[in-house]
Amino acid sequence: MPASKAAPDLGAERRWVRLCAAVGAVFVILAVLIGTGAGGPDTTRVICLGALLAGATAAATACLRRARGYTGRSRWGWTALGVGLLSWGFGQVNFLANVGDDITPVPLPSLPNLGLVGIVLVAAGLLILPSANQPLVNRLRSVLDGLLIASSLVLVGWVFAVDPLADEVTVGPEFYLTLVYPLGGIVLATMSVYMLPQQRRRHGCGAHMVFIAGGLFLFAVSDAIYAYLGLVPDNGAGQPVDLGWLAGFALIIMGAARPLERSSPLVPLSAAVGTGAVMLPYVAVLAALGSSVLFHVQSGHSHPFVAYTRSFLILLIVGRQLLTQLENRTLTRTLEARVADRTAELYAREQQFHALVQHSSDVVTVVSPEADVLYQSEAVQQVFGYPARFLTGRRLTQHLDAESAHRLAKSLRQVSGRPYATTVLELTVRHRDGRDRQAEMTITNLLDDPHVKGLVLNTRDISERMELQEQLVHEAYHDSLTQLANRALFRDRTAAAVERGAPATVLHLDLDGFKRVNDSLGHLAGDQLLVQVADRIRACVRDDDLVARFGADEFGVLLEQDGAEEVARRILADLDTPVQLGARLIHTRASIGLAGAHLLDEGLPADVAGGDSPGERAEQLMRNADLAMHHAKAAGGGVHASYQSRMRDGLIERLELESDLRAALEHGELQLHYQPTVDLETHEVVGFEALARWPHPTRGMINPLDFIPIAEATGLIVPLGRWVLQEACRQAVEWSAAAGGRPLKMSVNVSVRQFDQPEFTDTVSAVLAETGMPADLLCLEMTESVLMTDTEANLEQLVRLKALGLTLAIDDFGTGYSSLAYLRRFPVDTLKIDRSFVERLGVLADDTALTDTIVRLGKSLGMATVAEGIEEFGQLAALREMGCGFAQGYYFSRPVPAADAGRLFIEGAEISVPIS
């Protein structure tokens, strides 16, 4: 097989054409030199010898080079062909170099007869070259055909050319030896011609073999002429007939160098070409026999050469017939085996088809255009309960309900007029047990098929698929927990109501404090609560109203009637009744927002109002209700609120502020202000609390109470907190270095959302490493809510932070729900007393006692205490009296920019502290 199967490119074709032109030009030059005898006989002889040697070498080189492009048999075939041509050429050169003025045969064995070895090698190469699956009989028959043609031509040549000269020359064994060369050339040319079909089928063209066959034929012609010249006394070497060998080598060079054309389509050969190829040996034999009869009639005697040749032809014919008989027997056995195998295969397929039809889950029915059953598969009993014989011969529409029968008859009429047309319909088929089953039927018109002559119905039971489809649709549009509609179905129904122009009102309900139920009693209790809330909401509305669960603890109600506020009050009143969860009674409340479709266009320009699609207007109506619900929740919960256009304005303002906050973070527009922490014992500023400030370019300084909640809700608090942490630590290191290495405690607030980040500890560690901030001088402040939610996970987080060596503080202590047990478990270092206790010192005795208790609690647990919000000297004196260690507040300094805070720390501050 060839090593590569890619078709030759245009470059290879062009190179081959150039090669052919060069070979042709060289041959023309040699023909002129030899034909004109330029330079005398000796020069002509030298030119002939050199040209033949070069031609043989080039032809052999071309064949060997082509052999490198193949593997297996083809490589060996081209190799043998190349070596044989080289041997043939050397034999001819030696013959011409040693022959005299008269051409006489050279006796065996001798170097000039090396050409005989070349004939054998070329024949072997030609036998190897065809495809590997070609029978040996075919190869041998091509050899016999070549011998038949060659022998016949020799006999004809003897009768008409040699016999008239037989009396003038001696015809002996040497002469017969010279006939081997033309005989071999004719045999080889015949073999190559017979190889053309095999080469065309295998390589797509076979044109290269045409050149090889032409070259071998020219060899045969030249050898035959030289054999004839051996009978003529006055003909010497160096004749123009030598050009026949040169032309043969030239054609072989062209054929061996021709690129393969596997991608080109085969040009079909006419039947006459094949018939002529088969009959050619017989025509040659008939011509030889006719010539021998003519010879006998003319001469009156028979020459031994004629008799031997005729006998040899008879033996070849007998051998060819034997090969034909062997081939026929092989073909017969192969054909019988293939017929038997094909018959068994067809029978197996028939049985397989029969089994598939009878046991298929599809019911196969053949009916007439009038729906009369011509054939019914056995699968009908398994699928629909009817025996096949029960339906055969009956009209199928009689076993269907009226609507399905009408649809089937209509489909049969439509398909009957179009051969091989197909249609699919779904209909109801009554099972024999009385159940209605949904079926899918494919009707195919095979009335023109002689094996069927009917309409084929392939019917399958799709009842389970339809049920599954309905279930999937239900699950896609309903909440799996409460079986209420979900947001998608609620939106579609709302859009339909808006499109109809119905007086639609959307109620958006959110439970108050539902998270505490999940956190304290678990999610199972929370799910039970949601189911009971869903039942209560459903009981407060009409059957035509739609109740949906949007997710978590949010519900929606779509009302297409007046009195939406009355429905909201009824729902809130019903939810005031405690819910029984096991042995517990759970009190729950809800916040409800109402939005009516008549307010959708309120506050919008006239050219914009009503311009959206129903789906977009439904989304807007749901957003309005959601916005109203948030207003109800902000009012304290347990109430309902109706949507007003100003609520949207507030929402838009919040969105704009969120967008501006993102831009401020990206562009570094935020700043840090620092509030000093004073040691009440040494009267020195020992640290600062870093506080984020946002100087808006158009709105001025934004209150932290306005943008910090937005950062919390949107997740921007995470990048904001990292920036605050890194900038505060960098500033602390800078101030400490400017103060001669005096330590500076820097406090940074941490939100719950930051604390919940799994990589928060790694973030803190990275900031400490980047800024060079000593870990023991960094204090992270967090609210009590951090301790009270997901305590085990938070304890693990606190332990990891504490392992870094930093300080942990509880901010606004006393306003949350922390207990003494939690304080003992968590590795907290500092308690910060909330400003609400500090501002009432000396006014209410109970508050003074509570603050004193917090200070004593911190001391008993080994924690430092920091009082916040000191604005008066009396508050400072009271805290100093209680033994509070540190203090913050406007009495000392407001939060100031970094430059002022740096001077405050480096230069010191004069702070009046009373002496006990």
Side-chain angles (χ1 to χ4, degrees):
M1 292 294 294
S4 174
K5 293 188 177 182
D9 55 13
L10 294 177
E13 290 286 352
R14 294 193 187 98
R15 288 193 296 272
W16 180 74
V17 171
R18 288 196 294 268
L19 174 65
C20 293
V23 172
V26 172
F27 177 77
V28 170
I29 294 172
L30 292 174
V32 171
L33 294 175
I34 295 174
T36 59
D42 294 336
T43 303
T44 303
R45 178 184 294 272
V46 171
I47 292 174
C48 286
L49 293 176
L52 285 174
L53 183 61
T57 304
T61 302
C63 292
L64 294 175
R65 184 175 181 181
R66 192 180 187 93
R68 294 173 56 189
Y70 294 89
T71 58
R73 297 175 58 88
S74 295
R75 172 174 287 188
W76 286 108
W78 281 103
T79 302
L81 192 61
V83 175
L85 289 173
L86 190 62
S87 301
W88 199 338
F90 271 99
Q92 295 293 348
V93 170
N94 277 279
F95 171 74
L96 293 177
N98 294 291
V99 74
D101 292 335
D102 295 329
I103 301 174
T104 56
V106 181
L108 289 173
S110 63
L111 190 60
N113 288 304
L114 187 62
L116 296 177
V117 179
I119 293 176
V120 175
L121 290 175
V122 172
L126 293 176
L127 289 174
I128 295 173
L129 270 182
S131 58
N133 58 359
Q134 185 185 24
L136 179 62
V137 174
N138 286 352
R139 301 194 186 103
L140 294 178
R141 188 169 58 185
S142 66
V143 176
L144 293 180
D145 287 346
L147 289 174
L148 281 171
I149 296 173
S151 300
S152 299
L153 292 177
V154 168
L155 182 56
V156 172
W158 175 273
V159 172
F160 292 103
V162 177
D163 184 69
L165 302 174
D167 296 334
E168 303 176 12
V169 298
T170 302
V171 178
E174 290 81 4
F175 170 73
Y176 294 143
L177 181 61
T178 62
L179 296 180
V180 174
Y181 289 95
L183 283 173
I186 295 173
V187 171
L188 296 178
T190 304
M191 291 174 61
S192 59
V193 169
Y194 279 121
M195 280 177 54
L196 283 175
Q198 289 289 337
Q199 292 294 311
R200 291 177 75 254
R201 282 193 294 270
R202 191 179 186 198
H203 301 298
C205 179
H208 61 286
M209 193 53 63
V210 176
F211 287 92
I212 302 295
L216 294 175
F217 178 74
L218 290 177
F219 287 171
V221 173
S222 297
D223 288 332
I225 294 175
Y226 264 95
Y228 176 76
L229 292 177
L231 301 175
V232 180
D234 56 353
N235 284 287
Q239 299 295 324
V241 72
D242 296 339
L243 295 173
W245 281 332
L246 295 177
F249 283 125
L251 290 178
I252 293 175
I253 292 172
M254 296 178 186
R258 181 177 175 82
L260 295 180
E261 299 180 2
R262 300 183 186 89
S263 61
S264 60
L266 283 175
V267 179
L269 300 177
S270 64
V273 175
T275 304
V278 174
M279 297 302 298
L280 181 61
Y282 296 101
V283 173
V285 170
L286 289 176
L289 292 178
S291 300
S292 67
V293 171
L294 180 63
F295 172 76
H296 183 74
V297 171
Q298 290 179 348
S299 62
H301 66 279
S302 177
H303 193 277
F305 180 80
V306 175
Y308 293 151
T309 305
R310 190 167 52 236
S311 300
F312 184 62
L313 286 175
I314 293 173
L315 288 175
L316 291 176
I317 292 174
V318 171
R320 193 180 192 282
Q321 289 301 114
L322 289 176
L323 290 178
T324 303
Q325 289 297 325
L326 289 174
E327 185 178 17
N328 289 338
R329 287 188 60 185
T330 303
L331 290 175
T332 302
R333 286 197 299 268
T334 304
L335 182 60
E336 290 176 352
R338 292 178 63 184
V339 170
D341 293 343
R342 184 61 176 168
T343 303
E345 181 183 357
L346 291 177
Y347 179 76
R349 288 188 177 181
E350 180 182 356
Q351 295 299 315
Q352 181 184 23
F353 174 76
H354 181 75
L356 290 175
V357 170
Q358 296 301 326
H359 298 90
S360 173
S361 59
D362 287 0
V363 179
V364 180
T365 310
V366 181
V367 300
S368 67
E370 294 76 23
D372 294 329
V373 178
L374 306 178
Y375 169 80
Q376 180 61 67
S377 67
E378 298 293 339
V380 68
Q381 184 166 8
Q382 179 182 356
V383 178
F384 296 112
Y386 298 98
R389 61 182 181 275
F390 176 79
L391 295 176
T392 304
R394 301 193 179 196
R395 185 154 292 185
L396 187 59
T397 53
Q398 297 176 353
H399 302 281
L400 303 175
D401 61 79
E403 181 184 359
S404 297
H406 173 72
R407 294 175 58 206
L408 176 59
K410 181 180 178 181
S411 299
L412 291 177
R413 288 194 300 270
Q414 291 176 346
V415 174
S416 297
R418 295 176 293 145
Y420 301 101
T422 299
T423 187
V424 180
L425 71 155
E426 294 182 2
L427 43 78
T428 302
V429 177
R430 183 167 295 255
H431 197 277
R432 197 175 188 185
D433 60 9
R435 295 177 299 156
D436 286 338
R437 311 294 292 173
Q438 296 299 314
E440 180 185 78
M441 182 179 292
T442 302
I443 306 175
T444 305
N445 181 358
L446 296 182
L447 290 170
D448 293 344
D449 191 323
H451 302 289
V452 181
K453 297 181 180 179
L455 300 168
V456 179
L457 314 181
N458 291 88
T459 309
R460 63 178 60 184
D461 186 353
I462 60 171
S463 300
E464 294 183 358
R465 190 182 77 185
M466 296 295 291
E467 293 173 0
L468 177 60
Q469 182 176 344
E470 292 176 0
Q471 180 182 353
L472 292 176
V473 171
H474 182 273
E475 291 179 355
Y477 286 100
H478 288 81
D479 175 56
S480 59
L481 176 63
T482 62
Q483 297 306 310
L484 297 177
N486 62 8
R487 181 182 289 273
L489 180 57
F490 191 89
R491 178 188 180 276
D492 292 346
R493 289 281 296 274
T494 304
V498 171
E499 188 174 15
R500 292 195 308 269
T505 303
V506 171
L507 280 65
H508 193 125
L509 181 148
D510 183 88
L511 298 182
D512 299 330
F514 177 73
K515 188 175 185 302
R516 290 199 299 271
V517 176
N518 270 342
D519 293 341
S520 58
L521 301 181
H523 289 280
L524 179 60
D527 290 346
Q528 294 173 353
L529 175 61
L530 291 175
V531 171
Q532 296 200 36
V533 168
D535 293 339
R536 292 191 180 188
I537 297 174
R538 201 156 28 198
C540 294
V541 299
R542 300 181 310 172
D543 293 338
D544 295 338
D545 299 326
L546 179 65
V547 181
R549 181 188 175 209
F550 294 158
D553 59 337
E554 297 185 40
F555 296 85
V557 180
L558 175 62
L559 303 176
E560 297 187 38
Q561 60 177 335
D562 296 330
E565 292 189 358
E566 178 60 30
V567 173
R569 284 192 290 268
R570 189 161 58 242
I571 293 175
L572 292 176
D574 201 357
L575 292 180
D576 277 342
T577 305
V579 176
Q580 185 77 37
L581 292 181
R584 293 184 177 86
L585 285 176
I586 304 299
H587 294 268
T588 183
R589 298 192 312 166
S591 300
I592 300 179
L594 294 82
H598 63 286
L599 295 177
L600 275 174
D601 300 327
E602 182 180 331
L604 295 178
D607 58 342
V608 177
D612 295 332
S613 65
E616 293 172 340
R617 292 171 65 80
E619 285 284 357
Q620 183 61 52
L621 183 58
M622 294 169 63
R623 285 196 297 269
N624 291 347
D626 179 51
L627 189 58
M629 181 273 294
H630 282 289
H631 275 263
K633 190 175 287 290
V639 297
H640 65 84
S642 297
Y643 170 76
Q644 302 296 332
S645 59
R646 63 176 180 272
M647 297 179 182
R648 181 187 299 173
D649 297 337
L651 177 61
I652 294 175
E653 183 180 357
R654 177 183 174 88
L655 291 176
E656 292 177 350
L657 198 62
E658 177 187 337
S659 177
D660 292 345
L661 180 58
R662 292 182 184 274
L665 276 174
E666 293 177 1
H667 301 147
E669 297 175 359
L670 295 176
Q671 298 177 359
L672 283 186
H673 284 197
Y674 300 89
Q675 186 169 29
T677 302
V678 177
D679 187 340
L680 296 183
E681 186 173 341
T682 63
H683 315 162
E684 292 181 349
V685 176
V686 295
F688 291 92
E689 180 181 358
L691 302 171
R693 294 294 184 264
W694 182 14
H696 195 278
T698 58
R699 302 187 184 188
M701 188 66 72
I702 305 294
N703 193 319
L705 296 179
D706 292 333
F707 73 84
I708 292 298
I710 294 178
E712 288 275 4
T714 59
L716 293 175
I717 194 67
V718 176
L720 173 60
R722 193 188 193 286
W723 173 79
V724 170
L725 181 63
Q726 185 168 21
E727 179 63 19
C729 290
R730 184 197 64 79
Q731 192 67 75
V733 172
E734 180 181 324
W735 288 337
S736 180
R742 181 154 57 97
L744 170 64
K745 193 81 168 184
M746 182 61 72
S747 298
V748 178
N749 291 289
V750 178
S751 71
V752 176
R753 194 150 187 174
Q754 283 180 273
F755 196 80
D756 289 340
Q757 297 291 317
E759 66 277 4
F760 179 63
T761 303
D762 297 333
T763 300
V764 175
S765 177
V767 169
L768 293 174
E770 292 172 7
T771 60
M773 177 74 173
D776 60 333
L777 295 180
L778 175 63
C779 177
L780 298 183
E781 299 183 4
M782 60 206 71
T783 60
E784 292 176 85
S785 58
V786 172
L787 308 181
M788 296 301 296
T789 58
D790 201 6
T791 55
E792 294 302 325
N794 289 344
L795 175 59
E796 184 179 352
Q797 183 82 288
L798 289 172
V799 170
R800 289 198 298 268
L801 289 171
K802 191 63 180 174
L804 297 177
L806 46 79
T807 304
L808 301 176
I810 298 180
D811 197 12
D812 301 333
F813 184 77
T815 59
Y817 305 95
S818 59
S819 66
L820 183 60
Y822 283 130
L823 289 178
R824 290 186 179 276
R825 290 183 61 193
F826 289 104
V828 178
D829 304 287
T830 304
L831 298 179
K832 298 194 70 173
I833 305 172
D834 187 66
R835 66 179 64 249
S836 61
F837 299 109
V838 174
E839 66 185 7
R840 291 184 294 229
L841 287 176
V843 179
L844 297 175
D846 292 340
D847 289 334
T848 302
L850 182 57
T851 304
D852 184 62
T853 301
I854 295 174
V855 174
R856 294 179 182 275
L857 175 63
K859 290 181 178 180
S860 65
L861 295 176
M863 301 177 184
T865 53
V866 179
E868 298 181 290
I870 299 176
E871 298 182 0
E872 299 177 357
F873 180 79
Q875 297 168 350
L876 175 61
L879 289 168
R880 182 71 178 83
E881 185 70 25
M882 295 175 189
C884 182
F886 304 92
Q888 288 179 315
Y890 289 177
Y891 180 80
F892 306 114
S893 173
R894 290 176 175 271
V896 293
D900 298 335
R903 286 195 299 270
L904 187 63
F905 174 70
I906 297 171
E907 299 173 3
E910 297 182 0
I911 299 175
S912 300
V913 179
I915 301 176
S916 301

